[in-house]
Amino acid sequence: MPTLAENTTFIELKAAKPTGLSLTQLGVPQLDCTVVKKGKLHELNQMLEDGRVGRRFQNVRVTGVKTREGEVETAKIFIQFEVFGDDNVPQADNSGFAAALMAGTESLTPLPPTVAFLPYARAWFENQFVFDVPTAVFDCAERIELTLKADKVRML
C-alpha cells in the first residue's frame, strides 16, 4: 500500500499591518490594540515513498492575531492553504497536518492535529483552519512548525 511520507517545515512569523482585505475576510476586529503576525510559504510537497509527488500544498498562509473581543484579550492562529490530491486518494480520512508555535527551536504549544479538506483526487481544494492560543504564547511566537502527516493512499 503506497504511503505519503511525513514532511515538516518551518514558516517564519513577521509583524504585519493590522489592516487589509485578508484580515477583513477573517473577521478580525480593526482596533488600535490589534497585533498581527504573518508568514507564508509558496509550495510544500508531500512525497510518496518512491520519491514522486503525492500531494501538493500551495499558497500556505499563517496569520496570527491578538486583539480584544469586548473586555477579553484573545489570540488566534489561522492556517490557510490550497491542496491538490494528485493521482491518489487516502485509504480513510486523510491524516492531515499538525502544527506547533515556536520561539527559536523551543516548542511553545502544539496546535491540535487536523484533517485537510480533500474529498477527491486530481482537484484543488481551499482549506482554512483557526486555533485559539494563549496570548502569552502568541507574544513569544516567532515561527510555526508545520508537519504534513504520513498517509496511506490508494493510487488511481
Side-chain angles (χ1 to χ4, degrees):
M1 178 177 312
T3 302
L4 291 168
E6 186 170 284
N7 187 2
T8 298
T9 193
F10 297 91
I11 301 171
E12 299 299 317
L13 298 174
K14 306 280 186 196
K17 292 186 279 185
T19 59
L21 182 58
S22 65
L23 295 176
T24 301
Q25 290 174 332
L26 294 174
V28 174
Q30 302 293 305
L31 305 172
D32 290 339
C33 65
T34 299
V35 177
V36 176
K37 295 181 181 183
K38 288 186 175 184
K40 66 181 178 176
L41 182 66
H42 176 66
E43 184 173 71
L44 179 61
N45 292 324
Q46 192 170 14
M47 310 305 277
L48 290 162
E49 54 203 1
D50 66 6
R52 293 181 294 144
V53 174
R55 195 172 287 159
R56 300 168 196 275
F57 293 76
Q58 287 189 345
N59 198 19
V60 181
R61 301 165 320 275
V62 179
T63 306
V65 177
K66 182 173 78 168
T67 192
R68 296 192 74 72
E69 294 182 285
E71 295 302 314
V72 178
E73 189 174 56
T74 64
K76 298 180 185 301
I77 301 295
F78 296 87
I79 298 177
Q80 300 167 287
F81 55 79
E82 298 160 20
V83 61
F84 184 77
D86 279 17
D87 294 327
N88 62 75
V89 293
Q91 287 291 335
D93 281 342
N94 66 75
S95 56
F97 69 94
L101 287 174
M102 310 281 294
T105 58
E106 178 189 354
S107 179
L108 298 172
T109 190
L111 303 177
T114 305
V115 173
F117 178 72
L118 185 63
Y120 295 105
R122 301 180 180 146
W124 285 100
F125 296 97
E126 185 72 32
N127 277 253
Q128 181 171 287
F129 307 91
V130 63
F131 305 92
D132 290 308
V133 297
T135 56
V137 169
F138 174 90
D139 291 341
C140 296
E142 298 172 343
R143 63 186 184 154
I144 191 164
E145 177 185 57
L146 181 66
T147 301
L148 308 177
K149 304 298 278 178
D151 214 356
K152 294 198 181 306
V153 296
R154 176 176 47 86
M155 301 308 292
L156 300 181

